[in-house]
Amino acid sequence: MAVLSKAKILQRLSYPVKDKRSLVITPLLDMKSLDLDSVDLRLGSHFLLPRSIQQPFFCPDRDSATSQHVPMHVPFGDYLVVPAHQTVLGSTLEFIKMPLDVCGEVLTKSSVARTFTVVETAPWIHPGYRGCLTLEIANVSNTPVLLYPGRSICQLILMRVEGADMGALPSATYFGPVYPEAPNFDHPEEDLERIGVPKEKTWILVRKIATNRT
Amino acid sequence: MVHALEGLVQDASSLHRLVDSVQRFCEEQKAAHAYRSPNEDFLNYTITVADETKLFLDRAVSDGLSFPKRIPILRAHLETIKRFWQQLHRYVKPAGDAHRLRLPAPLLDLATEHVQRVEQMSSAKVVAMLTPYLMYFQQPHTEFKKLTQLAAAAISGTHLPEKLGFVELPYSLAPNFLANLVVYHELGHFVWEEFEAASPPHLGIAGLKREMVKCLNKHILDFPTWSPEDRLQALEQVEYWTYEVFCDLFALRLIGPAFSFAAIEFFNLLAINKSDWVTFSYSHPAPCCRFYEHKRLLVEEGWWPYVGDLKSEYVSTIKNLSAVPSSRYVAGFNGKQPKSLISAFLALRPAIRRLVRTVTEHAKASPKDFAFYRRAVEDSFLHGVVPSTVVMQGKPRTPTATAIVNASVCFYLTSMPRLMHNLQAQDAHNVSQRSHWIHRLESWTMKAVEDVQLLIRRTPN
């Protein structure tokens, strides 16, 4: 697995979209975003802010996609305040289409990381993925931090996958979002039933509590 | 006099409460949401006018206390201000509801930019509003502007910016992209109203009205002998039909065939009876007549070779409707010599076409751009990619926004099953899955339109 150099990235960007090796990063507003071995990505203007929930816990189930967040739009030129020790979901301004033989990793830009703003905790991007990347942004500092849509926030490292399946059809889950997307879970009892845990066990109780409280 | 003063105080207090409540609504909305700039400016305008009104009310009461003889004059001023607030009240809530998350903001920004290229409209701005009706409206603003001038005698800050229009979208369709292309028609109404309200009125409009009278005289031989009321009604009716065709052609010139397809989509949602397709109502020409004009313009401007062979029911609908001979048009309204009135209107159409061509000379969409970028844009959609950058002959290019919009509509009409076929476990006949991917296509289109604006505005390296 080798990291793609700037020359290789530019080469991939010049393939037509139907070429399985093609990489799309759009809009590329500044060619200086391309570093020797990475691409700087900017913050988009849509966010999902955590909602204050009424139940005493968060149950990762099918309802969590809509119940946990409030969508928000922050126009370019404006900013979002992330209070100390708070989190938001944002997304990259750039829409990415990954080649079928390349995977990627998103890392916080070092200058941003030094403000104790952590941009990604699930940084892996699979071959063939397309969409604006949802960013889990956490302010782990003791002071509020301002986020400006349009400014560079993270960097994308691209790596060649040896022996990639070039005929694979992409999964429809998380395909093509242009705004940050909330998690996509099945109900826990259905998930666990697939590995043999009977539905009647604790999970039903957990779901009942969650349902009653919302 | 004590009674008169008490009456004034009561009147002022009751208006104060109304104004305060509207002002608080605006402040709360602004704090909670992001708006397109015309909506934000309008909410700010309301807040400022509310402050000025409150100042006036305080002043009026203290004037009443000091000069009791002035109380009747002060109450007359209050009446004017009440009428002004009545009208403002009507606009504020729908404008406050229309924040960016509830609107196809990139489409409205694009449409505004297009309107600004129309003759005499370079400072045009449009406040978007949400209506509970499943319909699009342009809210006439001339009367409202007159009210603001009357109110200005008592309170300052009521002056509305020049060329400010108000357009209403159905709240349920507001976040969509494709159906909302219909909004271009409403923008045509806005432009017409501005032309008509200009001082002196736009020459083209004045010329068209003269032509209208000529056509009526030619097709209704005894028209000069009609009573003034009947003549006025006939003129008003032909004028209504003229607005509608003007607005359709205006929309087509600005955004291309995407408007026709959006109009069909919207008419389908309204479930218009087949028999109504040939019927002229009091306010609207028959849809067949309108789509005849659509097709004529699309052919004339060079769009038809690119969209006329799309395998889509919408294209067949346009072909079928436009092929209906004008002899089958019927009148669905009461009035004198309705058939002759329709004939007079039909004879007026060349003048309407000429006027639209003239005023949109610098705002027209280009079929050549569409033809150039269409394939690349549709390929992007097929691969689930936002087409703000497309690669052509190994080079990245930025398509024009109108090419993206039209390619998106063509893709929507013909290629959704192909897109879904490229993905795991998706069934093109599953309605909810299909809706999901239409929504995705719309979001890719909006993102691309937004990106194109950024790419155009960026400082070159």
Side-chain angles (χ1 to χ4, degrees), chain B residues 11 22 45 49 78 103 138 184 194 207 246 258 312 334 347 350 364 377 435:
Chain B
D11 217 5
V22 175
Y45 163 86
V49 173
L78 266 183
L103 283 178
Q138 180 256 346
Y184 273 86
E194 282 293 331
F246 172 89
S312 158
N334 296 320
K364 65 176 179 184
V377 172
S435 299

Side-chain angles (χ1 to χ4, degrees), chain A residues 13-19 24-32 45-46 71-76 92-97 130-132 168-179 181, chain B residues 31-35 100-101 106 375-376 379-380 382-389 391 393-396 419 421-426 436-437 440 443-444 446-447 450-451 454-455 458-459 461:
Chain A
L13 287 171
S14 71
Y15 294 148
V17 71
K18 56 187 164 195
D19 190 318
V24 177
I25 303 174
T26 185
L28 208 46
L29 295 173
D30 184 353
M31 287 312 279
K32 286 183 198 148
S45 52
H46 286 262
M72 174 140 207
H73 178 262
V74 180
F76 294 110
T92 58
L93 171 67
E94 292 84 359
F95 185 99
I96 316 285
K97 180 217 161 215
R130 55 215 77 185
C132 293
L169 281 184
S171 154
T173 317
Y174 299 127
F175 183 93
V178 298
Y179 304 135
E181 290 210 326
Chain B
H33 306 294
Y35 288 92
R100 288 192 79 105
L101 290 175
R375 182 76 179 272
D379 274 348
S380 290
L382 188 60
H383 291 87
V385 172
V386 168
S388 43
T389 308
V391 175
Q393 280 110 34
K395 287 202 173 116
L419 167 66
H421 184 73
N422 281 345
L423 298 164
Q424 284 176 20
Q426 296 302 295
H436 170 79
W437 292 109
R440 272 283 196 258
S443 65
W444 298 334
M446 274 197 270
K447 168 83 174 131
E450 209 169 19
D451 286 353
L454 284 174
L455 285 161
R458 74 179 156 175
T459 320
N461 290 324

